[in-house]
Each structure stands twice: as structure tokens, then as C-alpha cells.
Amino acid sequence: MDDSVGDALRISSDELKSYLKRRYPDRWREVSEEELSELSQELSEVGYTSIAMLDDALRGTDPYLLDHEDSLPYAHRGYFTATGAVRQSLALVDEEYREFKYPDDDSDESPIVG
């Protein structure tokens, strides 16, 4: 695939940064361009090609994320940064993303269908 076509099917780092600041203002901490680019690439690889698609997937996941943070022995509510919140939330609701991002996760839990 031509790189320009691939880029057109990918959420840009700038779009992602703007979205994360709005979606998770209480979790926003400055992140590197490299980290934004990595998350953008991950999202693209599992089929998230727009902020609208990502937002649809994340809609309603906040209570599940808070419960997940509460259940972790090393975490607390608000533990994950905005990028971590995206990753953890998608892992809770999107089996394809969870298998892509956390292939060694041997839990038998099915993703939560919100």
C-alpha cells in the first residue's frame, strides 16, 4: 500500500492529541509525539481510522475503566493517563484490540459489551 493511502486511513497524532485532551481532561498529561504515533498506529492496525470510530468504541466505558482500575493491586481511580485509558478501555470492550495489544493476556474474561 502506498504510504499516503495508509496515512489517510490513520488517525493523525495531532487529531489524537486534541481528542485525548477533550475526552480525558482529568487524565491528560503531556505525552510524547512518539507515544501518540504508537497509539495511532495501534488503532489503525485494528481498524480505527477516525476519531468518530474511536469515540463510538469508547462511549460508555468510563465506569468500566474505573472499576478496572479499582481491581488492580497497583492502581487506583485515575491511575491511567489518557493514552493508557484508551488502551485499557478498548481492551475491555474490543476483543480484537485486546488480542492485538495484549496477546499474552490469558484471562478468560470476555470483553464487556457496553
Side-chain angles (χ1 to χ4, degrees):
M1 180 186 313
D2 181 323
D3 282 343
S4 62
V5 173
D7 287 345
L9 299 175
R10 185 174 169 187
I11 300 169
S12 75
S13 294
D14 288 339
E15 287 177 298
L16 191 55
K17 181 178 184 177
S18 178
Y19 173 73
L20 293 178
K21 283 182 172 183
R22 285 190 321 273
R23 176 73 171 81
Y24 297 108
D26 54 332
R27 293 176 181 272
W28 176 254
R29 292 168 191 78
E30 205 59 44
V31 296
S32 70
E33 288 302 315
E34 182 179 328
E35 185 175 353
L36 288 168
S37 181
E38 285 174 12
L39 180 56
S40 174
Q41 182 65 36
E42 289 171 17
L43 295 172
S44 174
E45 288 188 35
V46 293
Y48 292 94
T49 58
S50 71
I51 292 295
M53 287 177 71
L54 177 60
D55 191 56
D56 283 347
L58 294 174
R59 190 168 292 126
T61 60
D62 291 345
Y64 300 116
L65 177 62
L66 293 173
D67 288 346
H68 179 62
E69 286 175 321
D70 284 345
S71 74
L72 299 172
Y74 59 85
H76 52 79
R77 285 181 176 231
Y79 175 81
F80 293 108
T81 64
T83 53
V86 168
R87 288 179 170 120
Q88 293 298 310
S89 294
L90 287 179
L92 291 170
V93 298
D94 182 335
E95 188 170 1
E96 183 179 355
Y97 179 81
R98 184 171 72 175
E99 289 174 1
F100 167 82
K101 181 66 181 169
Y102 306 107
D104 295 330
D105 180 2
D106 58 358
S107 75
D108 290 330
E109 281 185 40
S110 296
I112 299 163
V113 177

